Amino acid sequence: MTRVQKSSGATAEKPTSSALPAFRIDRGNAAADTRLILAHGAGAGISSPFLDTMAALLDERGLALTLFEFGYMAGRRNGGPKRPPPRAEALVEEYRACIDAIHAAYPRATLVIGGKSLGGRVASLVADELFAKKAIAGLICLGYPFHPPGKPDQLRTEHLKNLRCPALIVQGERDPFGSRAEVEKYPLSNKIALVWMDDGDHDFGPRGASGFTRKGNLAAAADAVAAFVTEISKAR
């Protein structure tokens, strides 16, 4: 079952900390004990091929999902201009607002937050605060942007060194935002589990001659996410 909820145009243009998400899709059992919230990457919304496929795979594995868009991305659905995304820190309040809305809609569900690339990074910035308040149970990042492509010295890992919230990062081995060779040298919290997609890029796609497939990597990613959500849900 899929339910689409849009906010008013005014909210999509100027979100506030108390506003509903500018655009949101709820999937799965409304009475599920656990619900995973996923935000999108910098350049494509929740209808992107990556998130559309991932949502279907997670749905098959029995996960209840909410996918939502930040205001800058949702505005494009109403014919708004295509602007660069705001800084991740500027999107934190929108993510908090989404969590508040999902708590109100599903008050008995344990929440796990995360997202694709930028969405996962924004979620990671609020994860410890919300985990300490028992508002969430964990964090999932699908292709974390450890650094901008070609700029390995501009790391976005300071807050990940002492992260206390249980976290899963699913990363392509060749991801230009942080390859396996790079990431395995970073001093990350022991609360972070890393799962590597064989020969995968930022969308987990392998090279043709690698012997691996995008379909296989996406299925493996969905398996890892489902297993992580099940594990932390049992620990609650």
Side-chain angles (χ1 to χ4, degrees):
M1 175 178 157
T2 301
R3 181 167 64 86
V4 179
Q5 176 173 327
K6 291 185 180 181
S7 69
S8 67
T11 302
E13 292 172 7
K14 191 175 182 180
T16 67
S17 60
S18 61
L20 290 172
F23 186 83
R24 158 182 146 204
I25 297 175
D26 293 349
R27 301 178 62 128
N29 182 2
D33 292 334
T34 306
R35 178 164 290 269
L36 172 60
I37 302 174
L38 294 176
H40 55 85
I46 57 176
S47 301
S48 69
F50 178 91
L51 276 179
D52 194 49
T53 301
M54 186 58 62
L57 289 169
L58 294 174
D59 202 15
E60 289 175 4
R61 286 154 178 77
L63 268 65
L65 304 170
T66 291
L67 299 94
F68 82 98
E69 290 181 351
F70 297 111
Y72 84 90
M73 182 63 68
R76 299 178 187 179
R77 294 180 179 274
N78 300 322
K82 187 175 181 179
R83 296 191 180 99
R87 293 170 58 250
E89 292 79 4
L91 297 171
V92 162
E93 288 305 312
E94 285 191 67
Y95 209 119
R96 285 197 184 101
C98 178
I99 294 167
D100 288 344
I102 303 308
H103 265 306
Y106 305 99
R108 297 184 179 179
T110 296
L111 300 184
V112 179
I113 64 172
K116 166 63 174 161
S117 194
L118 172 66
R121 184 183 172 204
V122 177
S124 74
L125 293 173
V126 299
D128 262 357
E129 167 201 335
L130 296 172
F131 181 70
K133 294 178 179 178
K134 298 185 178 181
I136 66 168
L139 166 71
I140 292 173
C141 300
L142 303 173
Y144 185 82
F146 286 95
H147 59 71
K151 299 178 180 179
D153 295 332
Q154 295 183 20
L155 290 178
R156 299 156 172 165
T157 58
E158 189 62 32
H159 66 297
L160 300 180
K161 293 178 181 179
N162 298 303
L163 191 76
R164 297 181 300 277
C165 177
L168 171 70
I169 297 178
V170 184
Q171 195 83 357
E173 289 184 326
R174 297 182 300 108
D175 194 329
F177 289 84
S179 68
R180 183 168 189 167
E182 293 170 327
V183 175
E184 289 187 338
K185 297 176 184 177
Y186 298 155
L188 302 178
S189 166
N190 60 11
K191 293 292 187 178
I192 299 174
L194 282 159
V195 173
W196 295 100
M197 296 296 99
D198 294 319
D199 201 57
D201 58 17
H202 196 49
D203 290 334
F204 306 159
R207 292 167 290 193
S210 69
F212 303 104
T213 65
R214 183 185 300 272
K215 182 178 179 181
N217 278 354
L218 288 171
D223 286 341
V225 170
F228 176 79
V229 170
T230 299
E231 179 181 353
I232 61 174
S233 298
K234 288 179 179 178
R236 295 289 281 184

